[in-house]
Each structure stands twice: as C-alpha cells, then as structure tokens.
Amino acid sequence: MTKKKSADYQSHLQDVLDAPEGPHIAALFDFDGTIIAGYSATAMLWEKIKRREMTADEVVETINVMAQYSTGNMGFSGLMTGAAKFMKGVTEDSYFEFGEELYAKYIARKVYPEARALIEAHRAKGHTIAIVSSATIYQIEPTARDLDIEHVLCSQYEVENGEFTGNIIRPLCFGEGKVIAAENLAADYGLDLDNSYFYSDSYDDIELLERVGKPRPLNPNTRLREAAREHGWPLEKYESRGQGKPVDYVRTIYATGSLIGSAIASLPIWALTGSQREAMNFSTGLFGDIATALTGCELDVKGEENLWTSRPCIFVFNHQSKADVMILAKLIRRDMGGVAKKEVRDTPVIGKLMELAGTVFIDRANAGSAIKAMAPLIDAVKIDGKSIVIAPEGTRTLSPKLGPFKKGAFHMAIQAGVPMVPIVIHNAGDVAPKNEFLMRPAKVRVDVLPAVDTSRWTTRTLNQHVAEVRGMFLDALGQAEEEEALEALVNEEAAPAKKTGVGKQAGKPVARTGKQAAKKAAAGKKSVKTAPKKTVAKKAVAKPTANRSTPDRKSATARVPVSEAAK
C-alpha cells in the first residue's frame, strides 16, 4: 500500500465507509470546534454585547468568569453557574429566538463541509447520530436541524413557567457528564459504545473518548493531540472554515476584481466591432474562467450538453453561495441575462457592469414592481434570443437544503414560450457559504438536467409545474425523502392529537421529539408550551422572529431528537 493510500485509509471518512452497518453503532459528535469552526458561546456573547443587552457590570463579570475558567481557576460548573445567574427572569422563548438568529448570522457558515460529509457517511451506514456537547440547546438546535442530527445531548439551564430561574440542571454535559449522557442514550436505544465513534477537538472530552471503542480526535487542541499520539488514535484537522490564510484573502479579492478586469478586456471588442453583446459574451466567459481558476473552484459537471441544446431558455438554479455567479458564468458563457436584488445595483462598478450584461434588478419586497421590472427580459428572450438565469429560491440558502420556490421564473417561461433548464449546484457553499467573505478551493458538483418543455404550461396549472421542477432539484440533491417526511409530519400535525405534559428528570437526559419541531417548522407556528406566567418584569435577549420553529422543550440535560426538523 502506498503512503498516500495509507493516509487516505486512515482518514475519518474512509474509516466510516469501511465500517459495519447498523443503528447499534453510535456516531457521537462534539459541537464547538468539531462540527463548527470556533465557539458558538463566543458568538452569542459578542452579539449580546453589540446589541447592548448586557450592562457594563455584566460584561466585566462575564469576562472575569471566562478568564478564571480559561486559566483553570474555575471549573465548567462554575462557568455555567455564573452565566445562569444573568439569565434569571429571561424567557426561554427569547433564547430560542436568539439561537435561530445566531445560526443565520454566524453559525451556519461555520459548519465544516467535511463534518457534514462525515455525518452523511454515518447516516448512509445506518448509524445512530448524536451531538454530545457542553453547550446549550439554544446554540445547537438550528445546526442539528440543518444536519438532520438524530439526537442532541447537552447542558441545560433550569426553566420554570417558561423563564430561566438562574440555576443550572446537574449533571452538566461536560467531562464525566458526557459519559453519563452517552451511556443513557446507549441504554435507551440499544447502542454498543464499545463499537461506536466519538469525535471531539478537546482534551476536556477525554473521558468519553476513552469510553467509546473508536475515539476520533478531530481538529484537536494541543493537549488532545498529545494524548491521541500516546493512545495511537487517528487524527484529522479541517481547514475549510474559521480564520482563513492570507492566500484565501488574496484569491477572494482577485476573483471578485476579475469581473472588472474581464469587462476591461472586452472593451476592444466593443470598440472594434460595435457589438456590445459580443463584448459582454467575451467578458462573461472570461470572468467565469478566471474567477474559478483563482479560487480553486473545480467543477464536476454532468449533463453539460443540456446547457446548449435548448437555447434560448430559462435557466433556473439553486442558490447557495456568491460563488454561484462565477460558476454560472463559466457554464453558460454567452447570450444570457439575469435577475438580482436591487441592492446589487448600488455596488460600485460591479453593479453597472452587471446592468450592462443584461441583469435586471428587482425589489423583492414588492412583487408588483418585480414583475414589471422583469418585463424587458421577456423581450430579450423573444427578440434577442437570450437565455435568462434566475434563482427560484430568491436568495441564498444557509445550507445545501433547497428552499421554497417563487413563481417568477415560471411565469417568465410561459410568457417567453421557451423551455426551462434546471442547473443543480450541489455544494457551492464549500467555496463560500452565505454571509462568508472568504472563498476557498473546493470541487463543486453540478448537474445540468434535461430541458423541461413548457409549451403546455398555463397560469392555472402553475403550482403543479413549480412542484414538478422543484421535485427534480430535490431528486438530484438527494433530498426528496426528506421532503416527503416533512409533508407527512405536516399532515400529522393537522390531525387532532392528545397533548401530554413534560417534566424534569434530574441527572438524566430527557427525550424531546424532533417531529414536533418539523411540524411547527412547516406550519410556521410556535411549539412552546404555554404556562402561567410569573408576575415579574421579563427581559428579552432578541427581537421576535416571524415564523420561527422550536420543538417542545423540557428543562433538563436534554436529549433532543431533531432529525426530522429539517425535513
């Protein structure tokens, strides 16, 4: 076996692919530093400070507590106790809201693509997947829902009548507490921990690493790296998220600037031929080639012939990343127009270049004006023979999961009388997830599906056509079963159900059903159980967010099945 093959064989992913199948094998994951880069608690603290939701005294005391913990003068229990007292009287509901906002703003873009692939490999093997973290459910739940993680075991603050009491629930999910949580999960689900995995970045988790049969240090800190070498445990480190290298900043700046450089390079064509269209075609293809090369974005394209056989057409794509722009430019290359949000037009130089290239800028908040603004694109298709590129989701998604489709592209296909060609981008978020500035090298899979005949489409049957095309994306992305599961849960929610109470079990994780989260996510309703409120002034940590979803909540070290919540 060559050295390279040996290294590949030792990788965590290959290890899982070679593993036995079955739900009796657990795949346990720490959260901070393992599934995501960095620490969710830090993001939570800084966001509260930015919002001025902490007094100066609270900030000072919090920093002091964290300093004592980091220097070893205070244990994790003291850290959590110090944090809990600031939360007394705060509604738990507001913290779930806060967690959702943190996920959208900070945490979603910190999920390691490699960790996502590792979780999917375990799922393909039928393993029981769980997050075992000292963090709280408010930090973890949205990510667990995104990743379809089956269970969450975590630390918990005490809650009474929907408000934090200022106390913590013991045992915390830390150190030996993680072992207790894992063993309780194993007892309830018939898991064989001696043949199970635990992934962690920290020496604080040494007890659980030593308890399972397959300890897997992932992004290990110095002390864990030393312990792993002593034990002979396989190590792996991810660098696709977190603080970038100088070269990542250089490649990102140059790739973005190449749009301007490509436009300048096309000016002689425009000047000598008088054809703005040919100049823009040259600029578009050049930008796609240069930008993907600079960022190290390698495309693995299936069905590339479908890009050319049915033009002019309406190209529809799923939108995950700002890298989609250069990917589409490289694929489609010429005779194209597009749609973008109106804010892009105000971007210096780039906004004007996009307008010259045939981009129409729309106000997403005003459907009427958006439809009117897109009218020139119909003429561009019918008269000029251009193809239009549009993302039916309307905006970038936080993860590879497909969002709902808007109808603009489908109305356009009917009015222009041209086919629709779906472009399915699997993992552009690996290059740059939403809200991330840096672009990193990645191999991006793209499926260009056969053209969809729209000649018999009518506005009366539009919903059916939207569902059909979206179903094609779901099939290509491997998300069709998740969608079907969500629909089943929505139907279940519509049926009358007997309500049951919830309670505490000190020292033992309490099960919480993820089906509740899924049903509420689909229905756009809150799932917090209401209870008599205390007659005290309530503090809030975040402004309410419309149509959020959270599962039924229990005040204890939580074991939370949330795998269906994203379905």
Side-chain angles (χ1 to χ4, degrees):
M1 182 180 292
T2 66
K3 184 176 180 180
K4 183 178 186 303
K5 288 183 178 178
S6 177
D8 289 344
Y9 181 79
Q10 292 299 321
S11 73
H12 290 344
L13 182 60
Q14 187 61 49
D15 182 49
V16 174
L17 297 175
D18 293 338
E21 298 182 357
H24 64 288
I25 297 176
L28 310 177
F29 289 82
D30 180 39
F31 184 63
D32 294 301
T34 304
I35 290 178
I36 67 168
Y39 296 92
S40 54
T42 303
M44 181 175 281
L45 174 62
W46 282 115
E47 182 65 13
K48 289 177 71 174
I49 292 173
K50 284 171 60 178
R51 297 182 181 193
R52 298 182 180 180
E53 291 171 351
M54 297 179 70
T55 66
D57 289 341
E58 287 176 337
V59 172
V60 171
E61 188 168 350
T62 298
I63 293 174
N64 180 51
V65 168
M66 293 175 67
Q68 291 188 58
Y69 173 71
S70 63
T71 57
N73 294 323
M74 177 183 291
F76 182 73
S77 178
L79 178 67
M80 288 290 288
T81 300
K85 72 177 185 179
F86 294 129
M87 299 168 63
K88 185 175 182 179
V90 175
T91 62
E92 187 188 29
D93 196 22
S94 68
Y95 252 76
F96 274 102
E97 300 281 4
F98 192 32
E100 295 289 343
E101 293 184 15
L102 280 175
Y103 169 74
K105 196 169 183 180
Y106 299 107
I107 296 176
R109 61 189 169 97
K110 298 297 184 182
V111 176
Y112 286 110
E114 300 93 337
R116 190 183 293 273
L118 190 58
I119 290 165
E120 287 304 314
H122 278 290
R123 182 170 290 113
K125 288 290 184 176
H127 298 166
T128 299
I129 304 170
I131 293 175
V132 187
S133 173
S134 58
T136 65
I137 192 64
Y138 320 105
Q139 297 153 252
I140 302 171
E141 183 178 77
T143 305
R145 202 167 60 235
D146 166 34
L147 296 172
D148 294 337
I149 299 292
E150 198 168 352
H151 306 277
V152 170
L153 296 82
C154 61
S155 299
Q156 195 84 341
Y157 298 116
E158 185 180 66
V159 178
E160 288 184 359
N161 296 328
E163 297 174 358
F164 295 110
T165 67
N167 299 319
I168 57 176
I169 299 294
R170 299 179 188 273
L172 293 168
C173 198
F174 181 83
E176 186 62 27
K178 285 194 176 184
V179 177
I180 294 171
E183 289 180 338
N184 285 334
L185 182 72
D188 289 348
Y189 288 87
L191 307 179
D192 180 5
L193 291 182
D194 292 333
N195 283 298
S196 293
Y197 298 79
F198 177 47
Y199 300 90
S200 175
D201 71 310
S202 176
Y203 187 82
D204 290 336
D205 292 333
I206 192 67
E207 290 97 333
L208 186 52
L209 285 164
E210 292 178 338
R211 173 62 184 87
V212 300
K214 297 181 179 181
R216 296 293 183 263
L218 184 56
N219 309 317
N221 59 19
T222 301
R223 195 175 177 191
L224 179 56
R225 188 181 301 112
E226 293 172 353
R229 287 169 179 164
E230 291 176 4
H231 286 82
W233 296 339
L235 296 167
E236 192 162 350
K237 181 175 177 60
Y238 299 154
E239 297 182 343
S240 60
R241 293 291 182 266
Q243 186 64 37
K245 300 176 182 178
V247 67
D248 295 321
Y249 288 90
V250 172
R251 78 167 83 248
T252 301
I253 293 169
Y254 271 83
T256 304
S258 67
L259 178 61
I260 299 173
S262 299
I264 293 173
S266 72
L267 292 179
I269 297 175
W270 193 351
L272 294 173
T273 67
S275 173
Q276 177 182 338
R277 180 168 179 169
E278 285 305 316
M280 289 299 101
N281 285 342
F282 175 81
S283 175
T284 299
L286 184 62
F287 164 66
D289 292 337
I290 293 177
T292 53
L294 286 171
T295 56
C297 177
E298 179 186 353
L299 299 185
D300 177 11
V301 184
K302 294 183 179 179
E304 190 168 1
E305 67 278 4
N306 296 322
L307 290 167
W308 304 98
T309 54
S310 301
R311 296 197 188 193
C313 63
I314 307 296
F315 287 108
V316 288
F317 69 101
N318 55 314
H319 198 9
Q320 300 173 20
S321 169
K322 63 182 181 181
D324 294 336
V325 176
M326 65 182 184
I327 291 171
L328 292 167
K330 184 174 179 65
L331 292 174
I332 300 173
R333 307 196 70 83
R334 59 180 297 113
D335 298 331
M336 58 185 285
V339 177
K341 59 183 180 181
K342 66 176 185 178
E343 291 80 6
V344 175
R345 181 168 48 192
D346 299 327
T347 305
V349 184
I350 292 176
K352 185 61 178 178
L353 290 175
M354 291 180 67
E355 187 173 12
L356 288 172
T359 302
V360 168
F361 301 96
I362 63 172
D363 182 0
R364 291 177 183 157
N366 189 330
S369 68
I371 292 173
K372 184 177 180 180
M374 288 192 290
L377 293 177
I378 304 301
D379 292 336
V381 176
K382 288 183 173 180
I383 300 172
D384 300 330
K386 285 189 175 183
S387 295
I388 305 303
V389 186
I390 187 169
E393 293 162 298
T395 188
R396 285 173 287 173
T397 56
L398 289 168
S399 77
K401 293 188 181 299
L402 193 67
F405 276 13
K406 300 179 185 297
K407 298 177 182 178
F410 298 85
H411 280 292
M412 195 178 297
I414 292 174
Q415 293 175 40
V418 295
M420 178 173 283
V421 177
I423 300 177
V424 184
I425 305 174
H426 287 262
N427 58 313
D430 292 2
V431 178
K434 186 175 181 178
N435 299 326
E436 181 64 77
F437 169 73
L438 290 182
M439 291 193 279
R440 292 178 168 91
K443 186 173 185 176
V444 178
R445 293 171 51 215
V446 180
D447 292 332
V448 185
L449 305 184
V452 178
D453 181 11
T454 67
S455 60
R456 296 185 180 182
W457 285 12
T458 66
T459 54
R460 293 180 57 188
T461 58
L462 195 62
N463 289 340
Q464 174 187 334
H465 306 312
V466 172
E468 288 172 352
V469 173
R470 187 169 182 274
M472 295 169 68
F473 276 86
L474 290 169
D475 286 337
L477 291 168
Q479 298 175 14
E481 291 184 3
E482 297 176 12
E483 193 81 2
E484 291 172 2
L486 177 58
E487 290 178 1
L489 290 168
V490 172
N491 293 334
E492 182 182 338
E493 170 72 2
K498 183 179 179 180
K499 293 184 178 180
T500 57
V502 297
K504 299 177 184 176
Q505 292 178 332
K508 183 179 180 181
V510 174
R512 193 166 75 193
T513 173
K515 292 182 179 180
Q516 299 289 340
K519 290 182 280 186
K520 299 304 179 183
K525 302 175 183 177
K526 297 180 181 179
S527 63
V528 182
K529 293 190 185 310
T530 57
K533 302 294 183 182
K534 293 181 180 179
T535 56
V536 296
K538 297 175 185 176
K539 295 182 283 183
V541 299
K543 291 185 284 187
T545 301
N547 293 334
R548 68 174 182 81
S549 67
T550 55
D552 292 341
R553 301 176 179 121
K554 301 184 178 182
S555 301
T557 305
R559 179 172 70 250
V560 189
V562 293
S563 59
E564 294 91 340
K567 296 180 181 178

